Amino acid sequence: MSADSIVIANCGGFWGDDPSAARRQVEGGHIDYLVMDYLAEVTMAILQKQRAKKPELGYTGDFITQMRDVLVPCMEKGVTIISNAGGVNPLACGAALERLAAELGVADKVRVAVVAGDDLYADLDGLLAGGQKLTNLETGHPLAGVRDQVLAANVYLGSPPIVRALELGANVVIAGRVTDTSVTLAPMIHRFGWAADDWDKLAAGVVAGHIIECGCQCTGGNFTDWHKVPSHTNMGYPLIEAHADGSFVVTKHPGTGGLVSVHTVSEQLLYEMGAPGYLSPDCVARFDSIQLTQEGPDRVHVSGIVGGPPPERLKVAVSVADGYRSVGRLLVSGPDTLRKARAAVDIIWNLAGGQSHYEASASSFIGWDASHPPLGSEEPSEVLVQLAVRDHDRKKIDTDFAPMIVGSMLQSMPGMTVPAEQGRPRVADVVAHWPALISRDLVHPTVTFAGTTETVSAQAAATVDPATIPGMAMGADAIASYVPDDSAPVTVPLMRLCLGRSGDKGDTANVGILARSPQIFSWLAQYLSADVVKNHFKGICQGDVERHPLPNLLAVNFLLHNSLGGGGTSSLIFDAQGKTYSQYLLSMEVTVPSSLLATAG
């Protein structure tokens, strides 16, 4: 790479991702930075509970395990490591990394910086007394009403403290709750000297971070056209070849499995996306400005990104204790599978006091309708019956529900069995996600390096009210009208015309649909309305459906509000993250002219 280019390698998209990824990225070829993202909203609450039991915990131990494989070669090759593995105890994580460095004999080479200041848990009472209501963005309720139930509260920090750590000379940066994108943006700012108000370049770094933050999801993992991926063995984790002008290439190491194409990258861009103005603490990135070009095999060039000032306030993820839940499962086999399964469900609910006995309850048949309504009429030969309850009264669940899953077996249907590892269903804590906003001037990120801690400003060069962000000129007006021809009509699943990717933000599912040709996009933009999507998800989507066209990606993004049963650990539905929703929408049958289908290739 030239002096004005760097290679950033991602080796993890969540806590629990492939532990061999770091080693494969370091051994696979030249990289300058190794970055990884471990933190989700629920993860922070889990880590907070760990630290409450043992003050030396509260970070993701997987990080230290991975570093055992790569810390020495990273130091030998000059690779800088950046991660948010610090969770709610980044200083302890930093200390653990330094102990590992000493054990491996590279303590003189490892320069650790720790980024903190995101954890607001100890300051909550003062913030509330000072007028910060931390109102729930989904419900409108103030946090004061559930203050005694709060388990964790972390503000999403941007790239400045990471950049400062790099300026100080750190070659390992361990952070708490920084945004998923900032671990990729920060090294670009540091190496290229981008200004604090160079919005287009900052937006490019945010887009690069979004593309690789979920690891292999941009290199062929979870891809609609999975059968076009040459191999899922030794999957190549993503690389960003970033340039000083803000353009970059998405690729992977040679000889690895997977696929990098305009379609694999486009699908990941749509993942967990909201409105086209993507909000981050560093800037607003216009996803309706991104231009993708296939530069060569497994190389996608990304350019044209437009950015703007970030929001006035920063997002806070609060985790709130919200009662308890329990889930039990039984296998029911045929013949007459569904009829027997429904009878078994009735028997269990009757023994457990009835569904109305609990604050929330649900039952579904895995293999038939657990993630969405049935796709066909042919009855399965077996289903896994799932029953779930949620309530603030743990004793009620322990006494009335949990004993009756297995306890119903001898008075129920023939052909039933219990999964080998399951006894009485356990009762688990429910941790609800509470999204809120806080003033920037109350957030004080810190960087600890070489025994000294300094504060880094959370202010931005300028800010904007998200409600005033204008639409791009290339928005809905750029959609060409679709004019059907007189070729023979054909009825096909939407998947023949489009690809898709879906994800979650709280109780809202996003479903991004990507047309296979410009002609199909013109048809899609006219046919696939919010009402059509709402009707298709009848019984699943309890709220409104928002629709956001992205002509530059030949895509339309839908936001399905109140569609995930509360989301996260609050939900009693099988797919609480909406992972299956794009596939369900792509299964919808549509009738189009055969000439339009032919453009799909």
Side-chain angles (χ1 to χ4, degrees):
M1 300 296 291
S2 63
D4 65 345
S5 301
I6 55 175
V7 179
I8 304 170
N10 167 280
C11 67
F14 67 100
W15 187 16
D17 205 349
D18 187 341
S20 70
R23 174 181 50 79
R24 290 175 12 220
Q25 287 289 63
V26 173
E27 294 176 351
H30 171 75
I31 62 174
D32 298 296
Y33 294 88
L34 182 69
V35 304
M36 58 207 78
D37 169 41
Y38 287 99
L39 303 181
E41 286 86 358
V42 173
T43 308
M44 301 302 288
I46 295 171
L47 295 173
Q48 192 75 267
K49 291 170 70 175
Q50 286 184 357
R51 187 176 67 171
K53 294 179 181 178
K54 292 186 176 181
E56 68 273 19
L57 298 181
Y59 60 89
T60 59
D62 290 6
F63 171 70
I64 302 300
T65 301
Q66 285 185 295
M67 289 301 100
R68 184 173 292 279
D69 290 339
V70 301
L71 189 59
V72 172
C74 281
M75 295 303 102
E76 292 173 346
K77 296 179 179 183
V79 176
T80 297
I81 300 162
I82 307 174
S83 176
N84 60 9
V88 300
N89 202 351
L91 287 171
C93 187
L97 192 281
E98 289 176 334
R99 289 194 297 272
L100 176 64
E103 177 187 336
L104 298 176
V106 290
D108 58 328
K109 297 182 176 65
V110 174
R111 302 183 301 277
V112 180
V114 174
V115 172
D118 62 291
D119 191 346
L120 305 178
Y121 185 69
D123 302 323
L124 274 183
D125 291 330
L127 291 170
L128 293 173
Q132 296 292 311
K133 295 184 178 181
L134 297 176
T135 300
N136 189 308
L137 295 174
E138 294 179 346
T139 66
H141 297 151
L143 186 66
V146 293
R147 171 63 187 91
D148 60 341
Q149 299 165 231
V150 173
L151 300 174
N154 297 82
V155 62
Y156 286 76
L157 301 179
S159 62
I162 303 176
V163 174
R164 180 55 182 157
L166 297 173
E167 290 172 350
L168 291 170
N171 57 11
V172 179
V173 182
I174 296 171
R177 178 70 278 189
V178 295
T179 61
D180 305 344
T181 59
S182 62
V183 297
T184 299
L185 170 61
M188 296 185 190
I189 296 173
H190 173 62
R191 288 289 289 269
F192 302 141
W194 290 346
D197 60 352
D198 201 339
W199 305 121
D200 292 351
K201 291 177 180 177
L202 297 179
V206 167
V207 171
H210 179 76
I211 290 172
I212 68 171
E213 71 183 17
C214 290
C216 293
Q217 277 201 165
C218 68
T219 58
N222 292 335
F223 183 40
T224 300
D225 287 346
W226 57 271
H227 53 282
K228 294 182 180 180
V229 178
S231 173
H232 284 81
T233 300
N234 186 30
M235 284 286 284
Y237 274 69
L239 307 175
I240 291 290
E241 295 177 1
H243 305 286
D245 65 358
S247 65
F248 59 90
V249 171
V250 185
T251 185
K252 62 185 183 69
H253 283 314
T256 57
L259 173 69
V260 182
S261 70
V262 168
H263 280 166
T264 67
V265 173
S266 294
E267 278 199 6
Q268 173 55 24
L269 283 169
L270 295 172
Y271 180 65
E272 293 185 344
M273 183 189 163
Y278 183 95
L279 306 180
S280 83
D282 297 292
C283 66
V284 171
R286 296 300 316 209
F287 274 43
D288 44 7
S289 67
I290 301 168
Q291 300 299 314
L292 305 179
T293 307
Q294 193 76 42
E295 187 179 84
D298 292 319
R299 293 181 62 83
V300 172
H301 187 263
V302 186
S303 62
I305 300 164
V306 175
E312 298 171 318
R313 295 186 289 171
L314 297 176
K315 182 180 177 182
V316 180
V318 182
S319 297
V320 177
D322 196 23
Y324 308 91
R325 72 170 180 173
S326 184
V327 178
R329 296 183 180 124
L330 297 168
L331 182 75
V332 179
S333 66
D336 210 9
T337 305
L338 293 176
R339 186 177 168 203
K340 287 194 295 188
R342 293 185 182 108
V345 166
D346 289 343
I347 289 170
I348 294 171
W349 284 128
N350 181 62
L351 291 170
Q355 289 188 258
S356 61
H357 183 49
Y358 306 93
E359 292 173 9
S361 62
S363 52
S364 58
F365 303 145
I366 301 171
W368 178 247
D369 65 358
S371 58
H372 47 67
L375 295 178
S377 58
E378 184 175 344
E379 182 167 303
S381 63
E382 60 186 23
V383 296
L384 196 62
V385 174
Q386 175 173 291
L387 300 98
V389 296
R390 187 176 69 240
D391 206 287
H392 281 79
D393 184 349
R394 176 170 185 151
K395 184 178 178 181
K396 186 191 300 183
I397 299 177
D398 271 324
T399 303
D400 300 339
F401 175 79
M404 294 309 174
I405 302 300
V406 178
S408 69
M409 289 290 292
L410 301 185
Q411 50 189 307
S412 190
M413 299 292 107
M416 289 175 57
T417 188
V418 182
E421 77 284 358
Q422 179 184 299
R424 178 176 295 187
R426 68 183 183 89
V427 180
D429 295 328
V430 171
V431 180
H433 173 52
W434 184 287
L437 298 174
I438 191 172
S439 300
R440 283 177 178 264
D441 58 2
L442 297 175
V443 178
H444 307 289
T446 62
V447 177
T448 300
F449 181 73
T452 301
T453 298
E454 65 175 79
T455 300
V456 179
S457 174
Q459 298 301 317
T463 59
V464 67
D465 180 349
T468 66
I469 296 174
M472 293 288 292
M474 61 184 70
D477 293 341
I479 301 172
S481 297
Y482 171 70
V483 180
D485 58 33
D486 58 0
S487 60
V490 291
T491 299
V492 294
L494 183 61
M495 187 178 291
R496 293 283 301 278
L497 303 167
C498 302
L499 305 93
R501 177 71 57 83
S502 54
D504 68 304
K505 284 296 180 186
D507 197 21
T508 296
N510 101 282
V511 183
I513 299 298
L514 174 68
R516 295 182 184 272
S517 73
Q519 298 91 330
I520 292 172
F521 175 71
S522 295
W523 167 83
L524 178 72
Q526 290 182 215
Y527 173 79
L528 200 61
S529 66
D531 288 341
V532 169
V533 172
K534 170 79 171 177
N535 184 65
H536 190 69
F537 284 90
K538 186 184 301 181
I540 296 176
C541 179
Q542 306 300 322
D544 295 332
V545 174
E546 285 183 54
R547 180 178 183 270
H548 298 286
L550 296 102
N552 56 309
L553 299 177
L554 301 183
V556 180
N557 187 47
F558 296 91
L559 298 178
L560 283 60
H561 296 284
N562 305 118
S563 296
L564 298 172
T569 62
S570 296
S571 181
L572 299 182
I573 65 175
F574 193 81
D575 183 10
Q577 296 178 306
K579 302 287 189 181
T580 64
Y581 285 15
S582 63
Q583 294 291 293
Y584 178 56
L585 185 54
L586 289 172
S587 71
M588 179 176 67
E589 290 196 335
V590 296
T591 300
V592 298
S594 55
S595 61
L596 182 66
L597 178 62
T599 69

